[in-house]
């Protein structure tokens, strides 16, 4: 897997193009609006995204090794805490 580093100075409402494509490919629909929420203490990029079906998702992307490890650990903990079939 290729690791891509995001510049944490990307503070416009527009995400890096590869992140936009990744999210749209995974969710199988277009993202129609990206906004940067007023929250967070780490250097990770954060976006509140409205999809073409009007649903909303929160996207958080690591910008350095520390936030990458933290996001991976949080993701694993969240998956382990959710009960049900997938």
């Amino acid at each position: 897997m290729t690791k891509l580093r995001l510049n944490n100075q990307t503070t416009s409402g527009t995400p890096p193009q590869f992140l936009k494509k990744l999210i749209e490919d995974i969710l199988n629909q277009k993202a129609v609006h990206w906004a940067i929420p007023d929250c967070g203490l780490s250097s990770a990029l954060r976006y509140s995204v409205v999809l073409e079906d009007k649903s909303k998702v929160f996207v958080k992307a690591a910008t350095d090794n520390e936030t990458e490890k933290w996001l991976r650990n949080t993701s694993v903990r969240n998956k382990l805490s959710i009960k049900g079939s997938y």
Side-chain angles (χ1 to χ4, degrees):
M1 178 165 115
T2 303
K3 286 190 175 185
L4 300 170
R5 290 285 172 233
L6 300 177
N7 178 349
N8 63 357
Q9 299 303 312
T10 304
T11 57
S12 70
T14 305
Q17 189 59 38
F18 78 88
L19 182 59
K20 182 176 187 270
K21 180 175 177 3
L22 178 67
I23 296 304
E24 291 178 345
D25 288 350
I26 288 171
L27 299 176
N28 199 30
Q29 59 180 309
K30 297 287 183 191
V32 296
H33 181 72
W34 294 73
I36 298 174
D38 187 24
C39 64
L41 300 175
S42 74
S43 63
L45 294 177
R46 292 163 191 79
Y47 295 97
S48 177
V49 183
V50 178
L51 303 172
E52 62 188 345
D53 70 355
K54 306 294 186 235
S55 61
K56 296 178 183 178
V57 296
F58 180 72
V59 175
K60 192 170 189 179
T63 56
D64 56 31
N65 287 337
E66 185 177 331
T67 55
E68 179 184 358
K69 288 176 190 173
W70 184 86
L71 286 172
R72 286 186 191 279
N73 289 338
T74 300
S75 177
V76 169
R77 279 196 311 271
N78 289 342
K79 287 176 185 174
L80 292 174
S81 68
I82 297 171
K83 304 214 185 305
S85 60
Y86 298 94

